[in-house]
């Protein structure tokens, strides 16, 4: 099995965390790449050119990050990370909310990169920031209704908070219920070992 990832991607990080949480050895599986390098070995398995992508022996290439998390959890962990969410539609919506926030954060990062080329759009910039602000308030509300377990929601939440600190430190993340949830899990080895970097 091979996991193509990049060290800055919050989506790839969620796969890296799940890999560790289900007890697999990351050293023999993880392959660091930069998606912009367009390496043929990577594009052959994920034509979208996005990380993460997991190459498996039994099922071929698997993406995106949500499917990879469920595959690893189901294959090596009796679905312990997904089961708490599976039949709870509100928990699943909380998971999707966090994924949507990640999409906005990555879109805002791309907008910041365009700024250097003088192609920044004030309209989109503002739209992404407003979406993040509203989404974080909704997430704070939803964090108060989560149970004490550890699930894919927590892994996604950690990826979101650390990505905000990494790429958008100007955005306020000190929202009490979110910080409380984050503090419960941020010292796990899987989280510490996969901190984002350039
Ligand atoms: N929905 C996908 C998103 C993956 C994604 O957008 N990855 C970014 C890195 S943060 C990427 O590889 N971008 C390269 C590109 O768009 O060319 C997932 O959850 O895996």
């Amino acid at each position: 099995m091979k996991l193509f990832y990049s060290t800055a991607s919050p989506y790839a990080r969620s796969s890296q965390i799940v890999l560790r949480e289900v007890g697999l050895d990351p050293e023999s599986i993880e392959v660091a790449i930069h998606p912009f390098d367009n390496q043929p070995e990577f594009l052959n398995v994920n034509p979208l050119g996005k990380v993460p992508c997991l190459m498996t022996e039994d099922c071929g290439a698997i993406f995106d990050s949500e499917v990879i998390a469920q595959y690893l959890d189901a294959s090596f962990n009796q679905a312990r990370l997904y089961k708490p969410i599976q039949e709870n539609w509100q928990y699943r919506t909380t998971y999707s909310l966090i994924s949507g926030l990640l999409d906005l954060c990555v879109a805002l990062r791309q907008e910041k990169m365009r700024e250097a080329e003088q192609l920044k759009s004030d309209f989109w910039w503002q739209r992404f920031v407003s979406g993040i602000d509203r989404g974080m308030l909704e997430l704070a509300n939803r964090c108060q209704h989560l149970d004490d377990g550890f699930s894919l929601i927590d892994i996604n939440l950690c990826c979101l908070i650390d990505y905000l600190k990494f790429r958008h430190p100007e955005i306020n993340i000190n929202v009490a219920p979110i910080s409380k949830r984050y503090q419960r899990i941020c010292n796990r080895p899987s989280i510490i070992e996969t901190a984002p970097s350039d």
Side-chain angles (χ1 to χ4, degrees):
M1 200 156 57
K2 239 185 214 183
L3 175 70
F4 290 103
Y5 78 102
S6 76
T7 56
S9 165
Y11 309 103
R13 186 182 181 209
S14 78
S15 304
Q16 294 183 272
I17 295 172
V18 174
L19 201 69
R20 286 160 176 75
E21 290 291 341
V22 304
L24 293 169
D25 169 24
E27 271 191 31
S28 61
I29 297 172
E30 288 178 347
V31 180
I33 60 154
H34 195 298
F36 295 168
D37 290 343
N38 290 327
Q39 282 167 249
E41 190 200 1
F42 167 58
L43 292 183
N44 282 342
V45 290
N46 186 353
L48 299 175
K50 288 177 188 275
V51 287
C53 177
L54 184 73
M55 274 307 297
T56 68
E57 275 87 47
D58 53 346
C59 302
I62 294 186
F63 50 87
D64 62 2
S65 59
E66 184 173 351
V67 187
I68 294 173
Q70 287 180 28
Y71 169 84
L72 291 173
D73 188 40
S75 307
F76 302 100
N77 193 38
Q78 294 165 15
R80 287 191 196 94
L81 294 169
Y82 185 56
K83 260 190 201 135
I85 311 177
Q86 194 171 10
E87 283 169 18
N88 184 323
W89 295 106
Q90 282 310 320
Y91 280 10
R92 281 178 69 171
T93 303
T94 302
Y95 182 92
S96 289
L97 172 68
I98 300 170
S99 298
L101 276 162
L102 277 175
D103 292 345
L104 287 168
C105 288
V106 169
L108 181 60
R109 160 74 180 158
Q110 287 169 347
E111 210 50 48
K112 285 182 178 175
M113 288 164 84
R114 283 189 198 104
E115 194 174 24
E117 300 168 57
Q118 286 155 356
L119 292 171
K120 176 192 156 199
S121 155
D122 289 335
F123 172 80
W124 285 109
W125 184 298
Q126 197 43 54
R127 193 156 174 84
F128 297 146
V129 169
S130 305
I132 294 169
D133 287 346
R134 288 191 305 267
M136 290 296 278
L137 281 180
E138 174 63 17
L139 181 58
N141 177 34
R142 284 173 176 270
C143 277
Q144 298 178 70
H145 303 291
L146 293 173
D147 61 30
D148 286 341
F150 175 68
S151 75
L152 292 180
I153 290 179
D154 295 292
I155 291 174
N156 230 11
L157 183 130
C158 239
C159 293
L160 171 67
I161 298 306
D162 287 340
Y163 188 74
L164 275 163
K165 286 193 223 165
F166 177 53
R167 291 297 191 210
H168 308 302
E170 73 284 5
I171 293 181
N172 175 30
I173 51 167
N174 288 326
V175 189
I178 302 178
S179 305
K180 201 170 150 204
R181 192 79 196 175
Y182 173 82
Q183 289 305 328
R184 288 168 71 236
I185 47 174
C186 64
N187 289 323
R188 293 175 86 93
S190 64
I191 307 284
I192 292 169
E193 280 170 28
T194 57
S197 63
D198 276 313

